[in-house]
Amino acid sequence: MELLTNLAHAFQEVGEKVQSSLVVVQGHRHGAGAGMIWRKDGMILTNAHVVNHRSPLVYLSDGRKYTARVLAHEPEIDMALLKIEADDLPAMSCAKKGSVKVGQFVFAVGHPWGQKGYITKGIVSALTSAQTRNSDRQLPIIRTDAALAPGNSGGPLVNAAGEAIGINTMIVGGDQGVAISVEVADEFVRRALEKAGVSEKTV
Amino acid sequence: MATNENSLVALSDAMAEAVEKVGAATVTVDARRRFPASGILYSNDLVLTADHVVEREEDIQIFLPAGGEATASIAGRDPGSDLALLRLSRSASQTAEMSQVDPRVGQLVLAVARPTAEGIQASLGIISAIGGPIRTGRGVRLERYISTDAVPYPGFSGGPLIDASGRVIGMNTSGLTRGASIAIPVSQVRLAVESLLQHGKIRRGYLGVRSQPVELPVNGMEALGRAQTSGLLIVGIEPDGPASASGLMVGDILVGIDGDPISDHDELLSRLSGSLVGAQTQVEILRGGKPVSVPVTVGERS
């Protein structure tokens, strides 16, 4: 009984931790998507398809609202990097490369069907790759049985320690939930910052 | 707080380990035109899988967990219970560890599969119910089955359902219950495998009677001298069947077979199997309110 109670509390704690790094991204007139605080100085990661506007609005979990700049936008891998003028934000931590295994517990956090900060649970069902739209490129993806719906896009898929292992996306179809591996996001952000001439701050 | 997070991480890692453990004994079964399904290494040269995924008898390919492949032939199959046993052309190094404990409702389980060469796949759930006996869509009595809310993805049929320790508690299949996936418990699998290895199939007996359950007449119950309230009224006899040859008649009420009382179709179906198939036995009836014992040679259903 105690084990189950401990686990239930652990679920709760991971949920709270991740929700604080979750944002709402309003890049279209209708509907909003999810995003995560990638760096504490205001870098926000989300899906490219969530951002249509030159100045999308970003809402933090504590209600603060910002107008963001789009630093990078790559529809081919469905990622976008935004910048808001804020600091000391609770950034998402990422899982160590190669640590993701089939069978591990995962949580998806986002805003499915407009429900803010909604958490679903599941496991890593498979580690595979998928071809993205409009290109021959194969991306490493994580398939999960955690329920995902429109509004989850751009939000994180996290492991039992609350570290991001993927970005939930709807660009690959099927009835299974799909997240693009966080390693792709890592590379994307690095490329984007190099291009923008913004050097990575050593923290 | 640290303790709670650690226990969740520990659980998560334990699940991944359990998947890896049974994964070493989970194979891909390519025996049909569309996407392959999964199978369980039951012994070094036997693969257990779902009968409905074996759509051809030749050119059955098995992809092994460590890589590499082997061809296989059908050692035995039973469409009625959706089980098939394939014999590998070469030995595999790992076999699946079966659970020795009865499954319980509420247990954490993982449905594991290997439908492609890309690697192992899994889906999480609990044991939602342990049911049975039920009559399957194939007219066969399934003694027990495990119901779970683990999502059955394409290619999961024939694969193992494991408990938290990585031991196999059943074989997953979507072929028996319309639109749902269940697992056939290991205890059922063991019984079936015996028959499949011995006879290449599961032998099912039949009497050749059409019957319906009825409440026994009061004088009949008294004449039987035991607490039985129902039996099977014979309303039709198949010409040239075992019942016809034995002298059973329309109007007789079946109340027992081989010393066991029979009250309904499920009990009768269940008894007409195994050692009784093809054997002579005593069928107990009520004729005109009086108990009569009729010797019948049980036939085999083709």
Side-chain angles (χ1 to χ4, degrees):
Chain A
M1 232 9 126
E2 205 192 304
L3 175 63
L4 204 53
T5 313
N6 287 345
L7 286 170
H9 283 144
F11 271 56
Q12 230 178 295
E13 279 159 21
V14 171
E16 281 165 19
K17 171 175 167 180
V18 176
Q19 274 171 331
S20 64
S21 307
L22 181 73
V23 302
V24 176
V25 178
Q26 185 124 38
H28 295 268
R29 206 127 47 98
H30 313 285
M36 58 183 121
I37 300 170
W38 189 257
R39 225 168 63 175
K40 64 185 219 158
D41 64 349
M43 297 285 186
I44 309 288
L45 183 75
T46 183
N47 278 154
H49 79 267
V50 167
V51 179
N52 191 19
H53 226 256
R54 228 149 18 116
S55 314
L57 292 174
V58 170
Y59 297 80
L60 303 186
S61 62
D62 61 8
R64 283 184 283 167
K65 172 175 157 187
Y66 295 87
T67 307
R69 273 187 300 139
V70 180
L71 286 190
H73 189 260
E74 262 182 57
E76 191 192 279
I77 55 171
D78 201 13
M79 289 205 189
L81 187 64
L82 314 177
K83 179 78 173 68
I84 60 172
E85 293 317 310
D87 215 335
D88 255 327
L89 299 174
M92 200 71 238
S93 39
C94 291
K96 224 185 4 213
K97 191 168 178 172
S99 65
V100 182
K101 299 246 178 331
V102 173
Q104 280 179 335
F105 240 110
V106 293
F107 297 93
V109 201
H111 321 295
W113 302 115
Q115 291 169 285
K116 303 284 184 283
Y118 202 75
I119 309 179
T120 50
K121 66 146 193 8
I123 61 166
V124 174
S125 299
L127 293 170
T128 177
S129 59
Q131 197 157 6
T132 60
R133 237 184 270 151
N134 309 324
S135 94
D136 292 327
R137 185 158 163 201
Q138 293 270 51
L139 284 186
I141 60 166
I142 300 157
R143 284 199 184 271
T144 171
D145 57 358
L148 294 183
N152 268 121
S153 290
L157 189 70
V158 305
N159 62 15
E163 303 162 334
I165 62 170
I167 294 88
N168 297 318
T169 179
M170 306 294 271
I171 64 167
V172 179
D175 61 341
Q176 283 176 316
V178 172
I180 302 174
S181 170
V182 80
E183 289 158 25
V184 176
D186 229 358
E187 232 190 80
F188 159 71
V189 171
R190 215 181 10 90
R191 264 199 322 272
L193 294 181
E194 265 174 33
K195 235 203 280 177
V198 180
S199 56
E200 278 281 280
K201 285 189 217 155
T202 323
V203 176
Chain B
M1 220 191 314
T3 325
N4 285 339
E5 185 186 278
N6 287 344
S7 57
L8 190 53
V9 171
L11 171 65
S12 184
D13 287 341
M15 288 178 355
E17 264 171 52
V19 168
E20 220 178 284
K21 171 175 164 176
V22 80
T26 303
V27 300
T28 305
V29 173
D30 189 357
R32 57 184 178 184
R33 267 235 207 92
R34 55 198 168 111
F35 56 85
S38 306
I40 305 168
L41 282 167
Y42 197 78
S43 72
N44 289 103
D45 69 338
L46 286 174
V47 168
L48 176 74
T49 186
D51 175 83
H52 81 268
V53 308
V54 183
E55 288 179 12
R56 55 177 185 250
E57 302 194 356
E58 309 267 307
D59 194 29
I60 298 174
Q61 299 285 337
I62 307 290
F63 296 97
L64 301 167
E69 48 188 86
T71 51
S73 58
I74 301 174
R77 70 190 307 177
D78 181 44
S81 54
D82 201 17
L83 291 171
L85 218 52
L86 307 174
R87 196 175 295 279
L88 290 169
S89 56
R90 61 182 178 95
S91 273
S93 50
Q94 204 102 351
T95 57
E97 192 183 335
M98 306 290 163
S99 168
Q100 305 286 350
V101 182
D102 279 333
R104 295 164 69 189
V105 173
Q107 267 184 308
L108 202 67
V109 291
L110 289 154
V112 180
R114 192 184 290 280
T116 74
E118 268 186 318
I120 204 73
Q121 296 187 11
S123 147
L124 174 71
I126 60 163
I127 293 185
S128 308
I130 296 173
I134 50 155
R135 197 88 81 90
T136 69
R138 287 141 184 250
V140 161
R141 182 175 143 124
L142 185 62
E143 290 294 333
R144 267 177 126 218
Y145 64 91
I146 296 170
S147 233
T148 145
D149 59 354
V151 178
Y153 294 117
F156 269 54
S157 281
L161 187 72
I162 57 169
D163 63 17
S165 71
R167 296 191 181 91
V168 179
I169 58 173
M171 185 198 82
N172 299 313
T173 176
S174 57
L176 272 176
T177 43
R178 226 146 287 162
S181 181
I182 55 162
I184 301 175
V186 151
S187 52
Q188 298 289 153
V189 167
R190 282 204 190 95
L191 290 172
V193 166
E194 263 180 50
S195 184
L196 290 175
L197 284 179
Q198 248 195 339
H199 309 284
K201 56 181 173 163
I202 294 187
R203 304 170 77 209
R204 293 198 170 81
Y206 90 111
L207 293 178
V209 296
R210 232 176 35 251
S211 61
Q212 56 193 65
V214 290
E215 264 186 44
L216 297 182
V218 175
N219 57 352
M221 270 199 290
E222 284 172 4
L224 270 184
R226 59 173 184 258
Q228 184 169 343
T229 53
S230 48
L232 291 168
L233 173 69
I234 297 178
V235 297
I237 300 229
E238 234 180 64
D240 304 323
S244 145
S246 68
L248 285 172
M249 302 195 293
V250 170
D252 289 342
I253 303 177
L254 269 169
V255 290
I257 185 166
D258 197 38
D260 292 326
I262 299 284
S263 318
D264 58 38
H265 284 130
D266 280 338
E267 279 176 22
L268 181 62
L269 257 184
S270 174
R271 286 306 279 116
L272 287 175
S273 62
S275 53
L276 268 191
V277 179
Q280 194 189 68
T281 185
Q282 296 296 329
V283 170
E284 200 184 358
I285 56 167
L286 279 175
R287 183 175 284 168
K290 291 196 173 54
V292 178
S293 192
V294 179
V296 179
T297 305
V298 177
E300 181 169 353
R301 242 204 279 175
S302 49

